[in-house]
Amino acid sequence: MNIFITGTSSGLGYGLAKYYLKEGHNVYGLSRRSNDELNRNAGFSFLQQDISDFNSLGKNLPAFLSEVGTIDLVILNAGMLNEIKEMKDTGIDEIKKVMDVNVWSNKIIIDILFSELRHIGQVVAISSGASISGSQGWNAYSLSKATLNMLIKLYANEQSNTHFCALAPGLINSAMQEYVAALPKEKDYPTIARLKEVRASGKMPGIDEAAETNVRAIEKAKNYDSGSFLDVRNM
């Protein structure tokens, strides 16, 4: 398969790229930072790109895909978490920055992919349980992931030959969880306290385990209506 993944330098994106490469697939990665391990794999092609730079994204991505006719699987994984704090303390500029990375960059990428490629089999946008929970402290991140869910649903209505879903990947012991674990006690909102507890227990899945879980979920997603929001913990 030809697989396109954003955010491949670390975390889930890195785990997914590593898994699919091991299975013999061709992986086209896009990320702000390079990953030397992935670059050493002959099946990996890489575009170093800041997805929040819309102008250069619009120029560089078509050139990167110029010799790629079809993509079997697109995984829109790149994203950012802003500071955990009260909604009233979260400024509009901060929200706009998160929305640019977590939502609007994905719209640009999707539009380019469908313009440049003959066929796309499946599009999976990595969402979050925060997109529907409304948990205290997650503010702009929750807003962005909820909007991402709807963006995917809208594209599913327009691109009937491609299967779309927004997928919550479950808990992953990644850089985001390192940030959460380091939050001061006064920011221990219920969800934050629970995440700290799970990570401290050693039961939070690592990147490789989470990648395998999500690979299985991505395959199962095809059995659900295109445009659905899905959670790996319920599949």
Side-chain angles (χ1 to χ4, degrees):
M1 291 197 302
N2 287 339
I3 301 170
F4 176 81
I5 306 174
T6 65
T8 52
S9 64
S10 61
L12 180 61
Y14 161 63
L16 289 168
K18 187 166 61 168
Y19 180 94
Y20 284 120
L21 287 168
K22 185 179 178 181
E23 294 297 308
H25 301 296
N26 298 314
V27 175
Y28 298 85
L30 181 155
S31 192
R32 275 194 309 121
R33 298 183 303 276
S34 181
N35 183 294
D36 291 339
E37 179 186 349
L38 296 178
N39 288 337
R40 287 193 292 268
N41 193 301
F44 186 67
S45 301
F46 179 65
L47 172 64
Q48 189 162 4
Q49 174 69 50
D50 180 351
I51 59 174
S52 68
D53 185 345
F54 295 163
N55 288 332
S56 66
L57 178 63
K59 296 175 183 176
N60 295 335
L61 184 56
F64 179 62
L65 298 170
S66 62
E67 296 183 7
V68 183
T70 63
I71 292 287
D72 300 285
L73 172 62
V74 172
I75 304 176
L76 301 172
N77 163 76
M80 68 172 292
L81 173 69
N82 65 310
E83 183 183 349
I84 298 291
K85 57 186 175 183
E86 298 285 89
M87 192 70 223
K88 64 182 176 59
D89 298 324
T90 307
I92 293 298
D93 287 344
E94 186 175 354
I95 295 172
K96 285 180 178 178
K97 181 179 179 181
V98 176
M99 293 291 285
D100 280 350
V101 173
N102 292 356
V103 183
W104 309 133
S105 66
N106 286 318
K107 175 182 167 26
I108 292 170
I109 290 170
I110 290 171
D111 288 344
I112 290 172
L113 291 174
F114 277 96
S115 173
E116 298 294 323
L117 301 173
R118 294 192 302 274
H119 176 70
I120 300 169
Q122 184 181 13
V123 175
V124 177
I126 299 301
S127 183
S128 171
S131 68
I132 60 172
S133 67
S135 295
Q136 187 179 5
W138 294 89
N139 54 70
Y141 183 76
S142 291
L143 288 171
S144 70
K145 292 299 186 177
T147 308
L148 179 64
N149 293 352
M150 183 54 69
L151 181 76
I152 291 301
K153 190 173 185 66
L154 292 168
Y155 271 111
N157 293 333
E158 298 177 7
Q159 300 288 352
S160 59
N161 292 325
T162 301
H163 190 278
F164 285 80
C165 78
L167 180 66
L171 298 180
I172 305 170
N173 195 357
S174 63
M176 187 177 87
Q177 294 301 332
E178 290 178 11
Y179 163 72
V180 170
L183 287 170
K185 189 73 173 176
E186 59 265 24
K187 290 193 176 182
D188 275 359
Y189 305 122
T191 304
I192 300 301
R194 183 177 66 84
L195 290 174
K196 286 184 176 183
E197 182 181 349
V198 175
R199 189 170 190 266
S201 73
K203 296 179 180 178
M204 187 173 287
I207 289 169
D208 291 340
E209 181 182 350
E212 290 186 17
T213 298
N214 279 271
V215 165
R216 292 193 295 269
I218 288 168
E219 187 59 32
K220 290 179 184 176
K222 298 173 187 176
N223 298 321
Y224 295 79
D225 290 342
S226 184
S228 296
F229 168 76
L230 305 170
D231 191 316
V232 296
R233 292 165 290 191
N234 301 323
M235 296 174 71

